Amino acid sequence: MPKPGKNYLLNTEEKQEWMRDYFFAPRGLGFLEPGIVGPDDARVAAFNVAKSFYQTRPDVFNLALVAEKTGLSADEIKARLQRMYDERLYMLVKNSSVGVYGFGLWYWVVKMKDGCPPEEKQKLTDWIQNNNEICTGYACDGGDFDFYCGNHMRVLDNLLEAIIDPIKQNPYVEYVHLCPVRRDLRESSVNQADTPFRFREFRFSDEAKKKLFEYTDKIDEKDLEILEVLNNTEFSADLFNYDVLQELSGLDGAKMREDFSHVMDESRFLINMLYLNFMKLGLNNHCYLIRMFQNTPSYRKSQIIDELAANPDFNNVFEFTDSYHDAIFMAYEELTDSQKLRETMEAYPEIEEILEANSPRQFRRWTARLDDDTDNWEMCVFTDDLLQNRMARKNACSLCADKEENESC
């Protein structure tokens, strides 16, 4: 984290030195670093094999490590993981350090007009849910805004043409604010590549755990402990059982581990994690969308966001750039003190505005859908707009099946 007393003034040895405190320096959107590999590359085989089988083969995970940490037998761990998956309580997912891959990560906030009929908001909700190019997002129920969603896209004009403009043209929409992500610090309680804290640490306060087990009977202490162990392995590669992966795939287990460790642990442009489905637990995400005063230097904004993110009650933390807003924080409404968290933010004189909203629904875990009520759980479509020009009307919406439908987008 930035060190006290430094000003990072231009024309001094301290200039921009604050960026060295992060694994990937916060320097732009979609900057494409050399050395990354595609999601279907052989060096990601361990994850891809596990992702293909874990739904019915929980033993793809490192059950021996979980048994050592929890005291449970391997059979009980398998049974618990199988039950939690069958009940859609967790999902094995992979996050990218999107900018390193050459994508801008463009989140956007939508506010509906006062008096918007519920059926019109539902139409937009359905459009977002079924649009495969919107890689993640949240619907809010009451508060200062109504949607917080995101796209990974290389071409900003394509985002504006295919996503933002159609929403802005909706007569019931008051505004759409773009929130380009400068740093992704934490998602679903797991520290991401841009964290100043321990990479891949699963952060869940003791008080939140206590409230969770009082609030729901869908998950108990041992269930959460299993997920904690798997999300908190010392190395990413420790997550899997490579003997099982070799048996299932016919690939060399030792080679899979070596490659996976290089990609995940040494390079950190990918991260594997077990996503906890808060919706199935009956939880709501309380969102804090903050804006700092215009004259606050970028390093100070990052410093404040880091200080706030030190609180494990925040399960999602994103920092923005070139936006009306500077960051968003989320905390589970039922497990935390919302007013206390707001007061912590208000104690910073640099923070000018805090907008709040409550989200009971997440659309996707990145590209993997979460709507199991429509039998689309874990359906995953990864899109890349690099070779497309959405400004040409025939390409305005690459997902539409026919000309008539395309023209209506």
Side-chain angles (χ1 to χ4, degrees), residues 205-343:
S205 71
D206 291 339
E207 183 63 24
K209 291 179 189 177
K210 180 181 176 182
K211 291 182 179 180
L212 175 65
F213 304 135
E214 293 172 351
Y215 181 78
T216 181
D217 60 0
K218 291 184 178 294
I219 193 170
D220 63 21
E221 291 91 337
K222 289 300 182 182
D223 291 331
L224 186 61
E225 194 175 354
I226 290 170
L227 300 181
E228 282 185 296
V229 170
L230 293 175
N231 270 329
N232 275 316
T233 56
E234 182 178 359
F235 300 104
S236 298
D238 291 340
L239 177 62
F240 299 127
N241 182 326
Y242 293 88
D243 290 335
V244 174
L245 297 186
Q246 178 172 307
E247 169 202 333
L248 293 170
S249 67
L251 301 173
D252 180 80
K255 179 62 173 171
M256 278 194 284
R257 181 187 176 92
E258 177 186 348
D259 289 341
F260 196 63
S261 181
H262 170 73
V263 168
M264 296 279 182
D265 296 315
E266 298 170 25
S267 302
R268 273 171 56 163
F269 55 81
L270 292 177
I271 173 174
N272 51 241
M273 52 187 278
L274 274 65
Y275 161 78
L276 181 64
N277 187 1
F278 70 92
M279 295 179 288
K280 280 293 184 178
L281 298 177
L283 302 175
N284 291 269
N285 260 313
H286 194 86
C287 309
Y288 305 85
L289 186 64
I290 70 171
R291 178 161 61 96
M292 301 188 205
F293 285 101
Q294 182 179 352
N295 60 354
T296 307
S298 293
Y299 90 87
R300 180 57 184 154
K301 290 181 179 181
S302 292
Q303 188 177 46
I304 291 170
I305 291 164
D306 289 346
E307 291 170 1
L308 290 169
N311 187 340
D313 281 341
F314 291 119
N315 61 74
N316 287 333
V317 183
F318 294 90
E319 178 183 350
F320 308 134
T321 184
D322 303 317
S323 173
Y324 183 79
H325 310 283
D326 288 296
I328 194 168
F329 293 79
M330 297 187 193
Y332 296 125
E333 177 81 23
E334 294 78 10
L335 310 184
T336 60
D337 186 334
S338 300
Q339 182 58 33
K340 184 178 179 180
L341 292 176
R342 182 185 176 97
E343 290 170 358

Side-chain angles (χ1 to χ4, degrees), residues 127 131 161-163 165-167 169 393 395-409:
W127 183 81
N131 191 324
E161 179 74 19
I163 304 296
D165 285 353
I167 297 176
Q169 292 168 16
R393 291 309 304 168
N395 295 324
C397 181
S398 64
L399 303 172
C400 295
D402 54 49
K403 181 179 179 182
E404 181 179 349
E405 187 177 3
N406 200 15
E407 289 176 347
S408 67
C409 290

Side-chain angles (χ1 to χ4, degrees), residues 88 96 110 116 123 136 145 225 254 287 296 316 346 363 366 380 382 407:
R88 304 297 190 249
S96 306
V110 179
C116 171
K123 286 181 183 178
T136 190
F145 54 93
E225 194 175 354
C287 309
T296 307
N316 287 333
E346 290 176 332
F363 294 110
W366 285 98
C380 185
F382 185 85
E407 289 176 347

Side-chain angles (χ1 to χ4, degrees), residues 358-372:
N358 191 61
S359 174
R361 178 177 181 178
Q362 185 175 1
F363 294 110
R364 297 168 189 249
R365 171 92 282 283
W366 285 98
T367 56
R369 291 180 65 154
L370 300 174
D371 49 332
D372 66 313

Side-chain angles (χ1 to χ4, degrees), residues 132-182:
N132 287 331
E133 295 191 338
I134 300 173
C135 60
T136 190
Y138 298 81
C140 300
D141 184 12
D144 297 318
F145 54 93
D146 295 279
F147 298 96
Y148 171 71
C149 303
N151 294 74
H152 61 272
M153 280 198 172
R154 302 181 193 263
V155 182
L156 176 57
D157 279 330
N158 286 342
L159 170 69
L160 298 176
E161 179 74 19
I163 304 296
I164 302 302
D165 285 353
I167 297 176
K168 281 189 171 182
Q169 292 168 16
N170 186 319
Y172 296 99
V173 169
E174 182 173 332
Y175 66 72
V176 184
H177 287 174
L178 280 176
C179 299
V181 173
R182 182 185 192 121

